[in-house]
Amino acid sequence: GITMWEVLTRQEPYAEEREHHNQREILSKVVSGELRPTLSRSIPVMVRSLMQECWMQDPSKRPCIQQVKDQLEEILKAHEKRESQTLEDMVQTTESNTRLLHQILPPKVAQALTAGSKVEPECFDPVTIFFSDIVNFTVLSSTLAPQKVMNLLDRLFTRFDDMCTHTGLFKVETIGDAYMCVGGLPEPQGIHSVRVALFALETVRIANSIWVDEENEELGCVSIRAGFHSGPVVASVVGELNPRYCLFGDTVNYASRMESNSKENKINMSPQARKCLLDQLPGVHTHSRGCIPIKGKGILECFFLDQSEANYQHISGCVTTANKEVVVTIVDAYSLGF
């Protein structure tokens, strides 16, 4: 027991007593059981207990050396198990935090922030930005309980998120009932406009299948307005507290105008987005809306994306083929050892 105490404390026992008592007095107190080394709380509880057993006043109650050895081995095994579990928990927590960070930020941006590096702004040209909002959301917010509004947005945006992943787009943010995502970044994509077009078609279908209030079907299903525009943007992380990956440039405002000037369950696009879409996938059908006034842009000819089943299959087939090509490329790279 004394040897364990010396090993753990790196001190000599009874050092304080020696300053006030001679060796004979100290020995007398030890023999009588009056004096034992002070046990620090820093010593593990199980080791502390074993040490106290070793220097009990009644020798018959003290463990033999083999029992001490066995108990120390059990204590060591328990300690190693706790350490292993702690390390495993730390690894799982780190992996969980990394996955969450990668859901919020592009992987390379997340890695840079984790490493403590500054994220430099990047220019992407072109990209296609999508916006949508819920028709009559202000009225719904004033008539539904806040919990029901949150439930509605959660049900809707969870489905949008799944489709965003399926079509290979990057979700930028949601603000109230507005949903924003982009194709063509954080990595360039050859058919970013086609991917956004498919996402837009799917979101209208999804919204029209979501009940406004699951407990009151009389309110019907959700209707949205959608719009997109193609052009250049600069992307970077803004701020250090709750950092966000933000897009800057007139393309963002332009895309927002396309959504706000759309119609119920329609997908509005700018002439630039239409040209980009047709360049990437000839044969896509659109309908001219004629020239309409757009705030900050003047009079522009805008277009609705055709929502027929034939047009949907044409666009969907292109994205499906592109996704298969991406998978094949990854598999080939892996087989080559990259």
Side-chain angles (χ1 to χ4, degrees):
I2 295 296
T3 301
M4 283 191 286
W5 188 90
E6 290 175 326
V7 169
L8 289 168
T9 63
R10 295 293 191 271
Q11 296 176 8
E12 291 186 3
Y14 316 124
E16 292 183 4
E17 284 76 8
R18 286 201 210 114
E19 295 179 4
H20 308 286
H21 304 282
N22 59 42
Q23 291 186 1
R24 186 177 295 275
E25 290 174 327
I26 293 174
L27 182 59
S28 176
K29 288 184 178 182
V30 171
V31 171
S32 67
E34 182 183 346
L35 181 62
R36 292 291 185 268
T38 303
L39 290 173
S40 168
R41 289 185 175 276
S42 63
I43 299 174
V45 175
M46 296 177 69
V47 177
R48 228 185 308 166
S49 177
L50 178 58
M51 290 162 62
Q52 288 174 318
E53 289 179 25
C54 289
W55 59 48
M56 290 186 73
Q57 182 66 13
D58 185 351
S60 66
K61 294 182 180 180
R62 300 171 191 166
C64 68
I65 193 65
Q66 184 60 47
Q67 290 173 321
V68 172
K69 179 176 179 293
D70 292 342
Q71 286 193 50
L72 283 174
E73 288 178 350
E74 289 299 318
I75 292 171
L76 182 60
K77 287 179 182 178
H79 176 72
E80 289 176 344
K81 185 177 180 179
R82 286 195 301 271
E83 288 292 312
S84 176
Q85 186 62 48
T86 300
L87 180 60
E88 184 179 339
D89 291 344
M90 289 175 62
V91 170
Q92 290 178 349
T93 300
T94 300
E95 290 177 349
S96 177
N97 289 342
T98 300
R99 283 195 298 271
L100 179 60
L101 195 59
H102 284 194
Q103 288 177 337
I104 300 172
L105 301 169
K108 62 181 180 182
V109 173
Q111 290 168 5
L113 290 177
T114 303
S117 304
K118 181 175 176 58
V119 179
E120 297 297 333
E122 286 186 274
C123 182
F124 296 90
D125 186 13
V127 300
T128 300
I129 298 177
F130 168 93
F131 277 97
S132 72
D133 73 351
I134 298 175
V135 176
N136 295 326
F137 182 72
T138 303
V139 176
L140 292 175
S141 296
S142 64
T143 56
L144 291 176
Q147 293 86 346
K148 288 184 178 291
V149 175
M150 290 296 298
N151 177 264
L152 164 61
L153 293 177
D154 182 62
R155 287 183 287 117
L156 180 66
F157 289 162
T158 297
R159 295 280 301 278
F160 280 16
D161 289 346
D162 291 341
M163 188 51 57
C164 196
T165 300
H166 174 72
T167 50
L169 303 179
F170 180 77
K171 177 184 176 181
V172 180
E173 63 181 345
T174 59
I175 303 175
D177 65 317
Y179 190 98
M180 177 186 179
C181 65
V182 59
L185 65 75
E187 300 296 336
Q189 293 173 313
I191 56 165
H192 52 85
S193 291
V194 182
R195 292 180 182 277
V196 169
L198 176 61
F199 178 79
L201 291 170
E202 292 283 12
T203 53
V204 173
R205 293 185 175 193
I206 289 170
N208 294 165
S209 70
I210 299 288
W211 295 110
V212 170
D213 183 353
E214 292 178 305
E215 297 176 349
N216 184 7
E217 296 183 359
E218 291 183 0
L219 294 178
C221 292
V222 176
S223 292
I224 64 170
R225 279 181 296 267
F228 61 91
H229 171 68
S230 299
V233 295
V234 172
S236 186
V237 172
V238 175
E240 295 182 353
L241 182 64
N242 298 327
R244 290 177 52 226
Y245 189 68
C246 299
L247 308 184
F248 300 91
D250 186 58
T251 299
V252 179
N253 299 326
Y254 207 146
S256 178
R257 293 281 182 257
M258 291 300 99
E259 173 272 313
S260 60
N261 285 275
S262 187
K263 298 293 184 182
E264 183 173 347
N265 295 322
K266 294 291 186 180
I267 302 161
N268 188 38
M269 70 183 85
S270 65
Q272 294 90 333
R274 177 178 180 270
K275 181 180 184 306
C276 193
L277 179 60
L278 290 173
D279 287 344
Q280 294 175 10
L281 183 62
V284 174
H285 291 162
T286 63
H287 305 292
S288 174
R289 301 181 59 191
C291 292
I292 59 175
I294 304 294
K295 185 178 179 180
K297 298 297 175 185
I299 305 298
L300 294 176
E301 182 182 14
C302 294
F303 300 84
F304 281 140
L305 180 62
D306 184 274
Q307 294 171 246
S308 67
E309 183 62 25
N311 209 41
Y312 169 83
Q313 292 297 336
H314 183 48
I315 295 171
S316 177
C318 176
V319 174
T320 299
T321 300
N323 287 344
K324 288 179 179 178
E325 290 175 353
V326 169
V327 171
V328 170
T329 301
I330 293 173
V331 172
D332 287 348
Y334 179 78
S335 65
L336 290 173
F338 290 103

